[in-house]
Amino acid sequence: MTTLRRYLPILDWGRTYDRTAFSNDMIAAVIVTIMLIPQSLAYALLAGLPAQAGIYASIAPIILYAIFGTSRALAVGPVAVVSLLTASAVGQVADQGTAGYAVAALTLAFLSGGFLVLLGVFRLGFLANFLSHPVIAGFITASGILIATSQLKHILGVSAHGHTLPQMLGSIFAHLDQVNWITLVIGVAATAFLFWVRKNLKPALRRMGLSPLMADVLTKAGPVAAVVVTTLAVWALGLDARGVRIVGEVPQGLPPLTLPAFAPNLLGALLVPAILISIIGFVESISVAQTLAAKKRQRIDPDQELIGLGAANLGAAFTGGYPVTGGFARSVVNFDAGAETPAAGAFTALGLLFASLFLTPLVHYLPTATLAATIIVAVLSLVDLSILQKTWGYSRADFTAVAATIVLTLLMGVETGVASGVAISVLLHLYKTSRPHVAEVGLVPGTQHFRNVRRHKVDTRPHLLTLRVDESLYFVNARFLEDLIQSRVTEGCGITDVVLMFSAVNEVDFSALESLETINRRLKDIGVRLHLSEVKGPVMDRLETSHFLSELTGRVFLSQFDAWTALASEEHLNRAAE
Amino acid sequence: MTTLRRYLPILDWGRTYDRTAFSNDMIAAVIVTIMLIPQSLAYALLAGLPAQAGIYASIAPIILYAIFGTSRALAVGPVAVVSLLTASAVGQVADQGTAGYAVAALTLAFLSGGFLVLLGVFRLGFLANFLSHPVIAGFITASGILIATSQLKHILGVSAHGHTLPQMLGSIFAHLDQVNWITLVIGVAATAFLFWVRKNLKPALRRMGLSPLMADVLTKAGPVAAVVVTTLAVWALGLDARGVRIVGEVPQGLPPLTLPAFAPNLLGALLVPAILISIIGFVESISVAQTLAAKKRQRIDPDQELIGLGAANLGAAFTGGYPVTGGFARSVVNFDAGAETPAAGAFTALGLLFASLFLTPLVHYLPTATLAATIIVAVLSLVDLSILQKTWGYSRADFTAVAATIVLTLLMGVETGVASGVAISVLLHLYKTSRPHVAEVGLVPGTQHFRNVRRHKVDTRPHLLTLRVDESLYFVNARFLEDLIQSRVTEGCGITDVVLMFSAVNEVDFSALESLETINRRLKDIGVRLHLSEVKGPVMDRLETSHFLSELTGRVFLSQFDAWTALASEEHLNRAAE
């Protein structure tokens, strides 16, 4: 029963569902639905799919996530970055507008869903951690720029293509003579209006005396207003006949039952992009879910989240959708609007189902320029170049990772960009740990504390060299320590004892063990003893399984002060003996 | 002047060179030369090159290393593993026996030399550390097995090919009907003789009253004896006419001046193998050099070693050789025989030059089966499967890396094997640090020490949660800490203060900083304060450049005991106020 409830969180919150929760969830659902209708159409367009795919991708996935997900406020559906990744991946195997393109998008959702479920079942959610915060921030910023740029062609009314910034800009410049001026007017007006709504409408409505809830609903309805006005304008003035591109025929009805394709070639070509989409989607989703859950002391189980998101994507694959994830904007809106349980999501799904059944004929004359405007306004809030400045001040390694991710994403495309970002951050981390901070320490007079001889006035003894190693010892830095001790001992005269202080050594792997054995042997050859101090329990447990401790020429001291005292009295005895 | 001496170590030892050093170096050179003549021919064969290439690769490279290298005992030339790597790399771009094959080998030496010099000049020797000890051990063992297997065809007198164990064995089985029985007799006899020499000759000679030096020289001459006897047998009995394959015509003369090829295609195809050969060769060489140097309290400069080995390889590229490095066996022999300076290497080069000028006609009738026997006996000492058992007892991660390296090298070839080994060890390391050991600690009564509540009897306070984090905080484990604290705080009731004890945190990267900010903010939302204690100097320096410290709801305590005392008295005050 408990296991069942772990895998089906709906059994948890479902049992205590009451009237208050219901009405709160309903209000949230209405607000989110109003926001989602134009957004879903727009993101489908961004993914290169027919508009209805965005609506379909917001119905079954939301319901499946409500059953399997652990977040009470996360709103699942098409999001900007994943739509861009979809366009980039599917564009490599099929041409936009063909049946093959839509099937490839379903297959991508299927692969992504399957991969997420596998990760969840095998509890491998930690893999997402390889995306460092700077890499994610850089990637999201660069994606925002790419997405906004990709929409310029709709605003200008030209046909252009490309998946990198130079390709897109080049293609737009090449077609600049074909600009459709009516489209441009609609696009620029819609963009300006939406920016104004986002920035100024809510305070203005509040000043006019509207309740916060009403002000919020009206602000969220801004894109709907833009859609309605521009659609009416095109229909009334017959602008589609004058070259303004419109959404056109959108089929009316329930989401269709669809099947992804299982051709080995296609699966092979989409596998890596699917993994990338899964991990990026999961990272975006889990950060939102955790931030919202923390505000109410609720818990998110990351591995169960993988299963929830996986189920949502599998749902998308079989109902005419494309890859989905938990979106930042819609989840925050859902949370702020008072959603208490995943039922709010289910009601949103019902709202969108209603739209799919009855409202689609109304968007026939909707100009794509308006949808492009909603995308541009939404994604420009993702662009945050301040991360460059923040990391520059904090750490050059992190700055390098961000800058490389941004530049490579813009110039080489999303997949190369994010993969390079991960590789660079791993390499920089390994580089940092390959040359650990090692301090020669001495006794702070009057205490039992040992500090760096270069920073503090401390006592030292000529025959005793004590080194504090500030890093776990493993293969990447094992040889570094060998070299360091070798050079210290050959430089210093009269050293008879070397103590390695292990207070910050959290691991000693087999390479480091062999290095310690080598250091011990080499020091022995020249008559110097090697001691350890302050070795942690887990490290000691492991060293005890090896021969190292029995071969060690010196001793292992519980504390550095013990080592100091013991070796001092030995020295005293030796001198007395001489 | 000092800079010049850093780059030209010969200026260092050359100034104090005297008669004693000269005679010691000469004796070592004679012993090493006797050992090297058959070995050089054999390794050239292993690399798929004409026999003389092995001799040529032992002349100019040794002299160049003597000028630029820092080790006094390292003997540079063709070695087994690098010969195998050469055969594998060159075999992919040219067929054995063609002129293109030899030119590709020169090009490989040129690329490898250039890469090593670049690494040395830019002081990038630390890159070699990515090869962990278990990966090297696994790779050397698997290479030994591959090399021995590759020589079986010469012992059997069949023609076979392949670069992986299944390919080689399959090819040998397919040709088993073509076994040349005379070759087999020669091969098995030579192998048995050489094993006997290696194991039993030296003790037997010592028992017969010979001096250790003479016993040593005679033992080293074992392969020469095998060469002489089998060559005479083939010549006297005309066995080459009965299908016994012989070395054949070996040109007499100085090493030729040669040019590597600079065709972009060839350079491109050989670049990755050249990098691999450089790094593996460097790792093998530097371990030997450091072990020998440590015995005499001498220093090895790893970056200057790169330049020395790079120069040696460039020398090989222009004098008819192929990639070389410092060999384990020959260096130990050189050292044991009393070599004092790199001049011993130069004298060895003169000995080989003499062999190249006058002795090559004598090896015309030398059967390749004898050379194969010397290789098999030499490389089987590299095979050491005990590394599997050693790592199994010490750490499962290291065991996995060794086992994967061995299996993949045998089944997929040397390049895939070593690359997978590196990738696996990096991933396992990251995995280990992704779930760091975090202990809840309490005060050991009567002391100022804090220990794990699960291992020790300690005092705790219900409102105070103290966690000691045993790992540097960086992107791979940043989210782990978020989750952990989230779950601890939602589980525990009445917690008002969380203290993170940072004694083993050696780094906080930007991702971890953002996680700390998130943890601080989330705890603040539910009225819990966050404190830090025992933050190290370098970590504190960096935190001070961020906003984190000013946003921190709690304080940073110098020691955990300070935190305990201060928070206890606050609690006391609060209770009094209530």
Side-chain angles (χ1 to χ4, degrees), chain A residues 438-441 464-470 473 481-482 484-485 488-489 497-505 508 512 515-517 519-520 523 529-535 548 552 555-560 563 567:
Chain A
V438 177
E440 181 176 347
V441 295
L464 178 66
L465 174 68
T466 303
L467 298 173
R468 193 190 68 213
V469 184
D470 281 353
L473 295 177
L481 196 65
E482 282 180 41
L484 185 94
I485 291 178
R488 284 295 178 88
V489 174
D497 291 276
V498 172
V499 180
L500 296 178
M501 187 175 163
F502 264 29
S503 47
V505 173
V508 171
S515 279
L516 288 175
E517 287 172 346
I519 291 166
N520 182 51
L523 290 178
R529 290 185 304 174
L530 177 70
H531 312 267
L532 304 181
S533 73
E534 308 202 357
V535 182
F548 175 62
L552 188 66
R555 292 197 271 153
V556 179
F557 295 99
L558 259 188
S559 77
Q560 178 54 33
L567 296 174

Side-chain angles (χ1 to χ4, degrees), chain A residues 146-160:
Chain A
L146 280 184
I147 294 170
T149 311
S150 74
Q151 298 308 303
L152 284 182
K153 62 178 176 190
H154 296 296
I155 301 282
L156 296 166
V158 301
S159 45

Side-chain angles (χ1 to χ4, degrees), chain A residues 290 394 398 432 483 507-508, chain B residues 290 394 432 483 507-508:
Chain A
Q290 278 180 328
Y394 187 72
D398 285 306
K432 276 187 280 181
D483 293 351
E507 201 215 336
V508 171
Chain B
Q290 279 179 328
Y394 187 74
K432 277 186 280 180
D483 293 352
E507 201 215 335
V508 171

Side-chain angles (χ1 to χ4, degrees), chain A residues 126 129 132-134 290 294 394 398 431-432 470 475-476 483 504 506-508 510-511 514 522 526 536, chain B residues 126 129 132-134 290 294 297 394 398 431-432 470 475 483 504 506-508 510-511 514 522 536 542:
Chain A
F126 73 91
N129 298 342
S132 71
H133 293 203
Q290 278 180 328
Y394 187 72
D398 285 306
Y431 176 71
K432 276 187 280 181
D470 281 353
F475 62 96
V476 166
D483 293 351
N506 302 309
E507 201 215 336
V508 171
F510 192 77
S511 302
E514 295 206 314
R522 286 184 188 162
I526 55 172
K536 300 192 176 202
Chain B
F126 74 93
N129 298 341
S132 71
H133 294 204
Q290 279 179 328
R297 275 207 187 210
Y394 187 74
D398 284 305
Y431 175 71
K432 277 186 280 180
D470 282 353
F475 61 97
D483 293 352
N506 302 310
E507 201 215 335
V508 171
F510 192 77
S511 301
E514 294 205 314
R522 286 184 189 163
K536 299 191 176 202
R542 185 157 278 183

Side-chain angles (χ1 to χ4, degrees), chain A residues 244-265:
Chain A
V244 174
R245 281 186 55 201
I246 55 173
V247 168
E249 183 73 23
V250 178
Q252 210 171 348
L254 291 168
L257 275 179
T258 52
L259 269 184
F262 297 100
N265 274 352

Side-chain angles (χ1 to χ4, degrees), chain A residues 123 126 128-134 136 283 286-287 290-291 293-295 297-299 302 387 390-391 393-396 398 425-427 429-432 434-435 437 455 468 470-472 474-480 482-483 486-487 489-492 495 503-504 506-511 513-515 522 525-526 528 536-538 541-543 545-546, chain B residues 123 126 128-134 136 283 286-287 290-291 293-295 297-299 302 387 390-391 393-396 398 425-427 429-432 434-435 437 455 468 470-472 474-480 482-483 486-487 489-492 495 503-504 506-511 513-515 522 525-526 528 536-538 541-543 545-546:
Chain A
R123 313 191 80 69
F126 73 91
N129 298 342
F130 280 86
L131 284 175
S132 71
H133 293 203
I136 298 170
V283 169
I286 193 100
S287 338
Q290 278 180 328
T291 306
K295 297 199 180 184
R297 276 210 185 207
Q298 291 162 351
R299 276 211 62 201
I387 184 74
K390 279 191 225 157
T391 48
Y394 187 72
S395 137
R396 292 298 183 277
D398 285 306
S425 31
V426 167
L427 288 176
H429 169 71
L430 294 175
Y431 176 71
K432 276 187 280 181
S434 78
R435 307 191 165 197
H437 182 242
R455 291 193 182 202
R468 193 190 68 213
D470 281 353
E471 193 65 64
S472 292
Y474 74 114
F475 62 96
V476 166
N477 57 31
R479 204 166 279 118
F480 174 84
E482 282 180 41
D483 293 351
Q486 180 96 348
S487 77
V489 174
T490 34
E491 277 164 15
I495 292 170
S503 47
N506 302 309
E507 201 215 336
V508 171
D509 80 351
F510 192 77
S511 302
L513 175 73
E514 295 206 314
S515 279
R522 286 184 188 162
D525 284 351
I526 55 172
V528 175
K536 300 192 176 202
D541 290 351
R542 183 156 280 183
L543 288 181
T545 68
S546 75
Chain B
R123 312 192 80 69
F126 74 93
N129 298 341
F130 280 86
L131 284 177
S132 71
H133 294 204
I136 298 169
V283 169
I286 193 102
S287 336
Q290 279 179 328
T291 306
K295 296 198 184 190
R297 275 207 187 210
Q298 291 163 351
R299 276 212 62 198
I387 183 75
K390 280 190 224 159
T391 49
Y394 187 74
S395 137
R396 292 297 183 277
D398 284 305
S425 34
V426 167
L427 288 176
H429 169 72
L430 294 174
Y431 175 71
K432 277 186 280 180
S434 77
R435 307 191 163 195
H437 182 242
R455 292 193 181 203
R468 193 191 67 211
D470 282 353
E471 192 65 64
S472 292
Y474 74 113
F475 61 97
V476 166
N477 57 31
R479 206 165 278 119
F480 173 86
E482 282 180 40
D483 293 352
Q486 181 95 345
S487 77
V489 173
T490 36
E491 277 164 18
I495 291 170
S503 47
N506 302 310
E507 201 215 335
V508 171
D509 80 350
F510 192 77
S511 301
L513 175 74
E514 294 205 314
S515 279
R522 286 184 189 163
D525 284 351
I526 56 172
V528 175
K536 299 191 176 202
D541 290 350
R542 185 157 278 183
L543 289 181
T545 67
S546 76

